[in-house]
Amino acid sequence: MQQSVETRSTIDDAVAHEQRVYESSNPTSGRKFEAAKEVLPGGNTRGSLFFGPFPLFFSSARSSKVIDADGHEYSDFGNDLTAALFGHSNEAILSALKAGLDNRMSYGGTHDHEVAYAREICHRFRSIERVRFLTSGTEANLAAIQLPKAETERRLVLGFFGGYHGNTLNWLEPESEMNVDRADVRLARFNHIETVEQIVRKEGKDIAAILVEPIMGSAGGFMADTTFLSRLRSICDETGALLIFDEVQTARFAVGGYQSVIGVYPDLTTLGKFFGGGLNFGALCGPARHMDRLGPGHERMLSHGGTFSNNVLTMIAGHAALKKVFVQENVDRLNARSNELRSALQRQANSRGVPLQLGSFGSLISTHFQADLPQGSEDVKIPLIFRKLFQLFLINNGIFITRRGQLTVSMANTEDEFSALENAFGIFLGQYGDLTDDFD
Ligand SMILES: Cc1ncc(COP(=O)(O)O)c(C=O)c1O
C-alpha cells in the first residue's frame, strides 16, 4: 500500500505509476489470473468485474471488508456492483440461510417461502400485485419486454442510449451482437423527451413498451428528471404501451422502490441484485391484470418456466433480507450517511478547485471529474483512463471500487471507512486532480 504525494506530469505517467504499485503488491492475483485464462474466456466470468492489468482475486468477504489472494484487506465500496447492499454475509440473512440449509437445499416443488416473500414485495410496492421470481435481472427484463409484446400485439420496445438491462439488453453497446431483438428496439436519449416523442410520432402504434432505469446506473448514475419520467408515463397512457421501470439498482433507495420516492408508477417493475439477499435473483412484478397472463389457468397463458426461479434458499435469504435488514429506518440511515459522504467529497474537490460532479442518489455515488453534471452518457467528458487511475489509486490505498468509478455504499460500511475514503480521496485530488485540466 502506498501514499506518495509526488505530482505526476501526465495521465499516462500517473497510470503507469499506480499500475506498477498494483502489480507489485498483487503477485498472487496476477498469477491466478494467468491460470484462469486457461479455462475461462479471458480469465473472466463476469465482464463488469474485469479490470486491467488483472482483477484482484478475492478469498473472503465479511461485513464491509473483502480480502484478496495476497492477504490485503479492503474497505469495500464496490459492494458487488450494488448487489451487496447489506455488506457481505449479513448475520440476520446468514442465520436464516443456515436454518434453511438443514433440510431445504431444493424441493423441486411449490413452497411457502416463495409466497411469503412475494407477499412482502406486494405489500411494499404500490404498483405490484403479483411477482414472478426469476434468476437474474437480465432474465427479469427479458420477460418484462415479452409480456407487453404479447399484451399489446405490438413488436417494438423503446429504450435509452446508455441503458443497461442485462447482458443481452445492453444499450451501453447498442450494436453488440449479444443483444436480443436489435431490429425491434428503438433508442432515444435519456432525459430528452423530444427524442422519445419523435419515435412515438413515427412508430407509436407499434411500440409495446418503454423500458427505462429511473436512474441510469451502469452508464454513470444519471438521474432522470421527474418530469421526464412523468411524461414517459403519460406517453404510455396515451399510446397503450406499457411502462417498465428497471429498478434492479434503484429499488435500494426506499422500501417501496425509487418509484415511491418520485411518485411516478410504472406498469411493470423489474428487480434483482440485493433483493436475493446475496443469492441469484431476478423478479418481474406488476398488477394482476398484466401479470396473471403468466399464470397457469389463464386462457391465453404465456408459458414460462425456470428451474431455479423459486430456489428455496434464495427465497429464504431474500425474505429475511427484506424483513430484517432492508427496512425503512436502515435505508434512511444509509441514504443520509451517504449524502454526508457525498457532501464531504464535493467540498474537498471545491476547495482544491478540481472539477467534480457526483451523480446518482443516496447510497450510490458516481464520480465524474468534470465541470458539468452529465445528463446522459453523451455528456461524459472524462476518458476511461482517468477512471483507471482513480480505481487503481484507491485499491493501492486499501479501498476497493470497480473500474466504473462508482462508490457504492453498503449498510455495513463503518465510520472509520468513511473517514479513510475521504482521506484517500483528498490525497488523490492533491496528487492527480490537476490532470483533469487536460480533459475540459
Ligand atoms: C439496472 C440493471 N438492470 C439489469 C441488470 C442485470 O442484472 P443481472 O446481472 O442480475 O442479470 C443490471 C446489472 O447490472 C442492472 O444494473
Side-chain angles (χ1 to χ4, degrees):
M1 304 284 162
Q2 56 105 45
Q3 282 194 359
S4 154
V5 288
E6 201 179 321
T7 302
R8 316 271 145 208
S9 52
T10 69
I11 182 86
D12 291 334
D13 293 344
V15 170
H17 169 73
E18 293 299 333
Q19 184 158 319
R20 268 194 307 277
V21 174
Y22 178 84
E23 284 169 340
S24 64
S25 308
N26 296 292
T28 313
S29 283
R31 273 198 306 278
K32 283 179 181 288
F33 178 61
E34 289 308 312
K37 284 198 263 187
E38 293 164 15
V39 286
L40 303 175
N44 182 259
T45 298
R46 190 173 159 198
S48 44
L49 292 183
F50 176 79
F51 59 88
F54 52 81
L56 291 175
F57 272 64
F58 288 128
S59 53
S60 67
R62 196 90 195 163
S63 189
S64 58
K65 305 288 188 207
V66 285
I67 318 272
D68 73 15
D70 287 282
H72 307 123
E73 181 181 88
Y74 299 89
S75 301
D76 191 8
F77 283 93
N79 281 310
D80 202 0
L81 287 161
T82 76
L85 171 61
F86 318 115
H88 303 282
S89 311
N90 173 280
E91 282 306 325
I93 301 170
L94 212 54
S95 69
L97 265 177
K98 280 179 186 155
L101 268 172
D102 285 346
N103 63 349
R104 304 188 189 96
M105 270 295 281
S106 150
Y107 289 139
T110 305
H111 54 82
D112 286 343
H113 300 288
E114 63 191 276
V115 182
Y117 188 18
R119 199 178 293 290
E120 183 62 27
I121 294 173
C122 295
H123 171 66
R124 288 172 174 227
F125 283 73
R126 184 173 128 174
S127 67
I128 298 178
E129 293 171 329
R130 300 281 191 274
V131 178
R132 169 54 57 97
F133 289 118
L134 298 153
T135 54
S136 70
T138 301
E139 203 190 350
N141 282 313
L142 286 171
I145 60 173
Q146 292 309 106
L147 178 58
K149 286 186 199 173
E151 288 275 276
T152 60
E153 299 180 356
R154 302 174 184 174
R155 68 186 173 85
L156 300 182
V157 172
L158 194 153
F160 296 90
F161 289 106
Y164 183 80
H165 305 283
N167 54 29
T168 52
L169 288 166
N170 172 5
W171 298 330
L172 286 155
E173 299 172 51
E175 300 308 325
S176 164
E177 284 167 0
M178 285 302 282
N179 282 336
V180 294
D181 281 356
R182 279 188 297 158
D184 289 340
V185 168
R186 300 288 179 272
L187 297 182
R189 283 178 65 191
F190 196 64
N191 271 330
H192 288 259
I193 199 68
E194 62 284 1
T195 65
V196 177
E197 287 168 343
Q198 219 167 35
I199 295 169
V200 170
R201 266 198 302 279
K202 199 165 149 214
E203 297 185 281
K205 64 177 178 12
D206 293 324
I207 295 174
I210 298 182
L211 171 59
V212 65
E213 295 167 83
I215 297 175
M216 208 174 249
S218 305
F222 310 126
M223 304 272 296
D225 274 344
T226 306
T227 49
F228 173 74
L229 294 175
S230 304
R231 184 68 191 119
L232 295 184
R233 174 68 278 170
S234 53
I235 287 174
C236 285
D237 293 338
E238 288 155 16
T239 61
L242 271 63
L243 182 62
I244 310 167
F245 277 1
D246 177 344
E247 289 235 43
V248 166
Q249 289 203 22
T250 56
R252 71 193 277 122
F253 298 130
V255 297
Y258 186 61
Q259 52 195 264
S260 70
V261 176
I262 54 175
V264 180
Y265 293 91
D267 297 298
L268 301 174
T269 300
T270 53
L271 302 172
K273 294 197 186 271
F274 73 90
F275 255 86
L279 303 189
N280 301 37
F281 184 84
L284 168 61
C285 316
R289 69 177 182 285
H290 298 306
M291 292 293 294
D292 278 347
R293 186 101 195 250
L294 295 168
H298 194 283
E299 57 185 10
R300 290 181 305 138
M301 177 185 125
L302 291 169
S303 172
H304 183 248
T307 302
F308 288 107
S309 293
N310 71 339
N311 180 274
V312 66
L313 292 180
T314 303
M315 299 293 110
I316 289 174
H319 191 213
L322 256 59
K323 291 295 272 189
K324 299 186 175 147
V325 198
F326 190 58
V327 295
Q328 192 65 52
E329 186 193 349
N330 289 346
V331 175
D332 288 343
R333 191 178 316 121
L334 177 67
N335 284 337
R337 186 59 188 88
S338 304
N339 285 335
E340 284 169 24
L341 173 66
R342 185 184 286 273
S343 306
L345 301 180
Q346 190 69 61
R347 272 197 307 275
Q348 294 210 37
N350 295 351
S351 70
R352 289 182 159 85
V354 177
L356 175 69
Q357 299 293 331
L358 296 173
S360 200
F361 184 87
S363 57
L364 300 183
I365 305 175
S366 308
T367 55
H368 298 285
F369 291 91
Q370 60 183 64
D372 304 317
L373 181 65
Q375 302 295 315
S377 24
E378 63 280 4
D379 302 328
V380 174
K381 294 193 190 120
I382 243 40
L384 287 178
I385 191 166
F386 199 80
R387 288 196 185 166
K388 178 173 182 179
L389 179 66
F390 184 55
Q391 184 209 24
L392 290 183
F393 175 89
L394 286 184
I395 289 178
N396 289 339
N397 286 280
I399 291 163
F400 182 74
I401 64 162
T402 61
R403 183 61 50 92
R404 201 170 282 173
Q406 177 174 273
L407 302 165
T408 304
V409 187
S410 84
M411 291 183 180
N413 287 122
T414 63
E415 283 306 317
D416 284 352
E417 290 174 334
F418 287 118
S419 304
L421 174 59
E422 284 171 35
N423 187 39
F425 193 75
I427 296 170
F428 176 79
L429 295 176
Q431 199 165 327
Y432 296 126
D434 286 355
L435 294 173
T436 55
D437 293 346
D438 300 347
F439 308 126
D440 251 1

